[in-house]
Amino acid sequence: MAALSSEFGDLVQIKKQLIYVITLCRERGLVHSVKWASELAFALTPLPMNELPPPPPFTEEDAQDLDVLSLAKSYFDLKEYDRAAYFLRGCRSQKAYFLYMYSRYLSGEKKKDDETVDSLGPLEKGQVRNEALRELRVELSKKHQAGELDGFTLYLYGVVLRKLDLLKEAVDVFVEATHALPLHWGAWLELCNLITNIEMLKALSLPDCWIRDFFLAHMYTELQMIKEALQKYQSLIDAGFSKSTYIISQIAVAYHNIRDIDQALSLFNELREQDPYRIENMDTFSNLLYVRSMKPELSYLAHNLVEIDKYRVETCCVIGNYYSLRSQHEKAALYFQRALKLNPRCLGAWTLMGHEYMEMKNTSAAIQAYRHAIEVNKRDYRAWYGLGQTYEILKMPFYCLYYYRRAHQLRPNDSRMLVALGECYEKLSQQVEAKKCYWRAYSVGDVERMALLKLAKLHEQLNESDEAAHCYIIYIQDIFSSVEHVEHVEVSTALRYLGQYYFKNKRYDEASLCAQRCCDYNDAREEGKALLRQISQVRDQGEASSADLSLPCVFGSLSNNNTPVRRVSPLDLSSVTP
């Protein structure tokens, strides 16, 4: 991991730069960048009056456009974009030119959203377009070739290219924008949405500015490189940003992504104390409360957000999660739809709506919702995984395999993806691949404690009794060493198999132990008793126990020299293409 930028040594200088860029972004109506910089500046110590930075330079052209700019900005703030653009059309200053182009872009976006808002059913990509984009691209392209675009207009040019799906050109322009104006967070954030893997990130030539560390931390979180993201955020906290609510929220999201629920919940609660009216990321907080089935807390959060602003996307998602937890799936889907009317590009709402349709057994609507989610963000492993589950219900294993593999590529160390892949390979009679998946799922830390069991049953089906016994042994030892409550059905299955296995191999002491433990479970009690009778009959005939079986006792500790099952190489998914 790269060290922090050397510029972090001077927090006073960073504070000055933030105050300066806040003014620049505010003049141009870039409200999200203003908010981000303001939150960061608030986390740093206030500057004395004599240390405050001077206002941005004021040119002769700015003076000529001053009155028009003031008028147009007032219309812009009231979302009257066409009106703002009309008055700005003849202005010559950089500031007025940006606002003119930005007003035209936002006008097109507003009209597009108004048309899209009532047609959320089928996929309609390409049917509703921002009509202003092509004209804006032509005009900005000419200025770009002439080298007349500043950092802000380069950012806008990049946004236009992205909207036209010219992604490679967009990446180049956003990189150029970060070099021209490194302090504008909007350009960095747009770049985040276009980077699909770590190789692409490493290939970028980025400016050496302190803001790059915030970008890299955000990028690591997006690419599921959570360890690196947490290290980067910790170093930012150590550098002096310990009071930043933005950083706390990002760390909470990172912990959510690796399913460290306790840590994430604790950070979200801390965030709520520091900023009780915050709505951003509260949908992620509600996902955690949902997973933990914390109904009262989720109810309180939903009511609280409704009081603050009931027409926010996050509020609708929280209410949707609340109804989902109460198994009112139609109501939940309704609120996720409401969220999408407010913002058709809300990734979480599409994915959650897919889950609700799955609960309602409406597979075609679920597929539709998951596909929308992937369209918004191809890195959303939950949507790929959801599609896999949907096709599993439809008994289409080849489709299923494709989607699970995409989910696994995004989350290589998530045992749920690996177990799902293993089940798929099993259905397609590709037992070798299935075994690899199950073993890898166990190796990376099996969340649901299913991988070893499935591996054992697969070995059992293939009459590989030694391997099956090995897997059952580790499974049982894992279960008995765990403090969590465990489903007894599967433990009894393992004990039953091991009792018979030891008996066949004349290890009567171990067989007897397993049979006795079987008697603790209702479904295995009779078999346990029957096995004990068989053992006593054999012993009465004077048959000795065998001692040459190289298998540890099920209730002994596993030492390193008898690690079960052959080590398998890391999973290679390239061998099967659906």
Side-chain angles (χ1 to χ4, degrees):
M1 189 191 77
L4 276 185
S5 170
S6 55
E7 292 184 47
F8 276 104
D10 190 357
L11 288 179
V12 172
Q13 200 53 41
I14 289 176
K15 176 93 173 191
K16 284 181 179 178
Q17 290 174 350
L18 284 167
I19 292 169
Y20 181 76
V21 83
I22 287 166
T23 311
L24 291 180
C25 292
R26 186 176 286 129
E27 288 173 342
R28 289 162 178 81
L30 295 162
V31 288
H32 292 290
S33 294
V34 169
K35 182 175 75 93
W36 184 84
S38 301
E39 283 184 349
L40 215 53
F42 179 75
L44 298 173
T45 315
L47 295 177
M49 192 171 165
N50 61 336
E51 287 277 358
L52 290 173
F58 199 72
T59 65
E60 181 62 43
E61 288 172 336
D62 287 331
Q64 285 173 13
D65 294 341
L66 183 62
D67 295 335
V68 177
L69 199 55
S70 299
L71 179 68
K73 182 68 170 60
S74 70
Y75 296 147
F76 180 92
D77 290 342
L78 291 166
K79 296 187 167 51
E80 297 183 42
Y81 303 123
D82 288 330
R83 198 175 178 193
Y86 175 76
F87 284 98
L88 287 163
R89 68 196 186 286
C91 294
R92 294 174 54 215
S93 66
Q94 286 272 23
K95 204 185 299 178
Y97 180 70
F98 173 82
L99 202 61
Y100 167 61
M101 298 301 271
Y102 193 39
S103 296
R104 287 170 63 192
Y105 164 74
L106 287 177
S107 166
E109 284 296 289
K110 191 165 180 283
K111 286 165 190 164
K112 183 191 82 171
D113 287 347
D114 290 345
E115 278 183 60
T116 310
V117 93
D118 294 320
S119 56
L120 287 177
L123 284 171
E124 63 288 297
K125 185 172 179 177
Q127 290 175 15
V128 184
R129 270 212 179 270
N130 178 344
E131 297 301 328
L133 291 175
R134 295 189 186 286
E135 288 174 26
L136 290 171
R137 184 196 166 204
V138 170
E139 291 173 43
L140 287 165
S141 167
K142 284 177 190 165
K143 290 250 185 190
H144 184 233
Q145 283 163 3
E148 292 172 16
L149 297 183
D150 66 355
F152 287 112
T153 32
L154 279 167
Y155 155 75
L156 182 58
Y157 184 34
V159 171
V160 169
L161 291 170
R162 178 176 68 75
K163 289 277 183 178
L164 289 167
D165 288 328
L166 300 165
L167 305 184
K168 191 176 179 300
E169 294 94 320
V171 170
D172 295 341
V173 171
F174 284 129
V175 169
E176 202 181 326
T178 60
H179 280 278
L181 187 71
L183 297 172
H184 177 214
W185 178 241
W188 293 96
L189 211 48
E190 284 288 346
L191 202 48
C192 279
N193 296 329
L194 294 175
I195 293 167
T196 49
N197 53 51
I198 187 66
E199 289 73 28
M200 196 173 168
L201 178 63
K202 284 178 179 169
L204 294 179
S205 160
L206 299 168
D208 184 22
C209 170
W210 58 267
I211 205 165
R212 188 180 69 166
D213 292 293
F214 283 90
F215 164 75
L216 288 173
H218 186 95
M219 210 54 253
Y220 292 148
T221 310
E222 287 288 303
L223 294 171
Q224 305 295 335
M225 297 166 63
I226 305 299
K227 186 175 169 229
E228 291 85 345
L230 290 172
Q231 281 177 343
K232 193 60 108 170
Y233 281 125
Q234 189 54 52
S235 50
L236 288 169
I237 286 171
D238 296 341
F241 290 96
S242 57
K243 292 179 188 164
S244 166
T245 50
Y246 166 77
I247 290 179
I248 295 170
S249 71
Q250 287 296 104
I251 295 173
V253 168
Y255 278 122
H256 163 270
N257 287 1
I258 52 167
R259 296 174 74 82
D260 188 338
I261 296 172
D262 294 328
Q263 196 71 41
L265 281 173
S266 147
L267 283 163
F268 274 120
N269 284 319
E270 183 188 327
L271 199 59
R272 296 264 296 156
E273 277 174 34
Q274 283 192 34
D275 189 355
Y277 291 92
R278 181 190 181 94
I279 292 183
E280 300 103 293
N281 307 112
M282 288 302 117
D283 47 342
T284 308
F285 183 31
S286 77
N287 292 345
L288 296 162
L289 296 173
Y290 176 91
V291 169
R292 276 286 158 89
S293 300
M294 296 167 81
K295 214 176 275 184
E297 290 85 348
L298 188 49
S299 170
Y300 175 75
L301 180 66
H303 281 96
N304 185 233
L305 293 185
V306 166
E307 280 174 25
I308 298 168
D309 186 352
K310 66 178 176 186
Y311 296 113
R312 273 284 287 271
V313 173
E314 295 89 341
T315 305
C316 294
C317 288
V318 172
I319 299 170
N321 270 338
Y322 170 66
Y323 280 122
S324 183
L325 190 54
R326 292 182 58 177
S327 299
Q328 293 176 264
H329 301 297
E330 288 86 353
K331 266 192 172 177
L334 196 69
Y335 273 95
F336 294 132
Q337 280 175 339
R338 192 173 288 181
L340 290 163
K341 289 206 170 184
L342 293 166
N343 177 9
R345 290 189 63 79
C346 176
L347 174 66
W350 281 121
T351 310
L352 292 168
M353 195 156 79
H355 296 346
E356 293 314 305
Y357 284 133
M358 284 278 280
E359 292 288 344
M360 293 189 271
K361 307 281 187 288
N362 185 346
T363 45
S364 61
I367 288 169
Q368 209 66 41
Y370 290 136
R371 286 192 189 285
H372 265 297
I374 288 164
E375 210 174 89
V376 174
N377 184 354
K378 286 189 168 56
R379 290 194 301 257
D380 182 28
Y381 74 93
R382 294 169 306 168
W384 291 108
Y385 184 62
L387 278 168
Q389 287 180 309
T390 318
Y391 282 109
E392 199 172 333
I393 289 168
L394 295 171
K395 296 190 166 45
M396 297 167 79
F398 267 106
Y399 280 84
C400 188
L401 181 66
Y402 171 75
Y403 292 114
Y404 281 146
R405 283 174 60 177
R406 291 298 296 258
H408 166 70
Q409 282 158 7
L410 291 163
R411 300 269 291 189
N413 293 328
D414 193 321
S415 62
R416 292 165 305 156
M417 315 296 147
L418 286 157
V419 168
L421 261 178
E423 288 172 340
C424 245
Y425 281 124
E426 244 189 285
K427 281 174 190 154
L428 294 165
S429 303
Q430 296 183 30
Q431 276 83 1
V432 176
E433 298 294 329
K435 284 183 206 172
K436 283 184 188 178
C437 289
Y438 292 142
W439 180 249
R440 176 107 176 104
Y442 172 69
S443 307
V444 297
D446 186 14
V447 179
E448 289 161 342
R449 295 178 176 277
M450 292 300 291
L452 272 177
L453 204 60
K454 288 183 180 293
L455 183 56
K457 286 178 178 174
L458 184 55
H459 282 308
E460 204 179 322
Q461 283 167 23
L462 298 169
N463 295 320
E464 297 167 353
S465 54
D466 291 355
E467 285 91 341
H470 269 305
C471 292
Y472 277 131
I473 285 172
I474 321 170
Y475 171 71
I476 286 182
Q477 292 184 342
D478 278 2
I479 295 296
F480 286 145
S481 63
S482 157
V483 290
E484 299 163 30
H485 173 70
V486 181
E487 271 302 319
H488 288 165
V489 178
E490 302 295 9
V491 176
S492 60
T493 306
L495 286 168
R496 222 178 305 173
Y497 181 85
L498 285 169
Q500 294 296 338
Y501 176 80
Y502 282 128
F503 182 74
K504 279 179 199 156
N505 285 286
K506 301 183 180 178
R507 293 272 295 261
Y508 301 126
D509 293 344
E510 285 88 344
S512 178
L513 253 176
C514 289
Q516 284 164 17
R517 294 306 287 262
C518 277
C519 295
D520 297 342
Y521 304 98
N522 290 334
D523 61 326
R525 188 168 292 139
E526 292 310 314
E527 288 179 50
K529 286 177 181 173
L531 185 57
L532 284 170
R533 283 195 294 274
Q534 280 179 287
I535 293 167
S536 69
Q537 277 172 10
V538 170
R539 281 184 164 157
D540 288 346
Q541 290 163 13
E543 196 169 320
S545 279
S546 164
D548 63 350
L549 188 66
S550 61
L551 198 66
C553 170
V554 64
F555 301 112
S557 63
L558 273 177
S559 59
N560 290 336
N561 59 354
N562 52 28
T563 302
V565 192
R566 290 180 300 281
R567 288 267 170 206
V568 294
S569 56
L571 187 56
D572 174 21
L573 293 174
S574 59
S575 57
V576 180
T577 310

